[in-house]
Amino acid sequence: MKLILKLLAGMALGIALGLCAPAPLLSLLLTFKGLFGQFIGFMIPLIIVFYIMSGIAALESGSGRMLGWTVGLAYASTVLSGALAFAAASTILPQWVGEAAAAPAAAAQAAPLFKLEIKPLFDVMTALMLAFVFGLGIAATGAARLREIAEQGKDIVEKVLARVLVPLLPAYIACAFAEMAAAGSALDTLKTFGAVLLLAIGLHALWLALLYGASGLLLGRNPFALLRAMLPAYFTALGTMSSAATIPVALRSAGAMKVSAPVGNFVMPLCATIHLCGSTITLVSCATAVMLMTGGLAVPGWEVMLPFILLLGVTMVAAPGAPGGGVMAALGILSSVLGFPEASLALMIALYLAQDSFGTACNVAGDGVIALWVDRLAGRAGQGCAAAAPQRG
């Protein structure tokens, strides 16, 4: 929650500096924004490689049948929630985002003092393929040294995120808003922010209502009782902004829904890593809004957005546990598939972080539905698998 307050303070400070600061100070801010943006781009493939590799390598533990149902249901929920978000956002947001917000902003008078090009080691799709090949290879062969390299690489990337990237994000957002304020587009951007946040939170509630309503009907359970049992986990996630930190409460909520202990102990920690329906709803909604706001970016049709959502469901496995980890993992396909420039990526980070707690709460509440169905489909007898280790939120 402190990060959200810092983000809001950064927006306000950035707008004030963009309106009042002299050109030399604006040039300094734009220099920092450019360098930090390059560093983010360098880190994206490393996030994907190490997090997805270690995540896939860890999927060997537990019952194969239970694992298959959990992964399949989690991926289906993530993809369908993204499809719902795009259907709603592409219908509603064009009426909310005015032409002024959609028009290209005038170029700011200041320019960066200098520019450095920091090229990533490889592109996003290469990183995904590398992570899948080695992750599946480690799981199949039990390669202990490669598993250790993957885990240690993930730990290093996580420390960079926690100690460098995330703490400096408010400053990066402040610089982005200073540039927009100097170009005269900050007010229109803020108006759109409010509309997008309301839409994303509304879609979270709608998706949870659909999940619990349909599951209650098909399983012969009271959906309101199921939702009530998950409320402690929902509000804990709302405060912690971390699925991993909410696992103890989520396990108790799963027990309150009468999910068997072996299934709950396996599914709830695993879904904290692989089931991010709320984060996907937010990313798709925000991406649609940013495309409407950015001159030169047109909202594509389903032939582009469906592959993007399918890739997003896979990339979300690489979402680190730090607040904002979901958007950090998604930046690569936002730029490679949807063609987002650096300024649009900065807007995505700001939009995502502003509601990260609600997206995390939706993720956790949705995990309860996955546990209910795995309990029914995989069966309770003979499923004494150990709990999967939590990895991120």
Side-chain angles (χ1 to χ4, degrees), residues 192-202 282 286 350-355:
T192 305
F193 265 36
V196 176
L197 294 180
L198 287 176
L199 176 64
I201 294 172
T282 303
C286 294
L351 275 168
Y352 184 91
L353 286 175
Q355 67 72 62

Side-chain angles (χ1 to χ4, degrees), residues 214-275:
S215 298
L217 181 65
L218 294 173
L219 296 175
R221 303 283 299 275
N222 184 342
F224 297 103
L226 296 175
L227 267 173
R228 186 166 57 249
M230 282 302 297
L231 283 181
Y234 180 91
F235 286 110
T236 302
L238 199 64
T240 63
M241 296 173 64
S242 171
S243 297
T246 311
I247 285 175
V249 182
L251 287 172
R252 288 196 293 271
S253 294
M257 292 193 298
K258 296 182 172 55
V259 174
S260 63
V263 173
N265 291 339
F266 179 81
V267 172
M268 300 304 283
L270 180 59
C271 281
T273 296
I274 65 173
H275 183 227

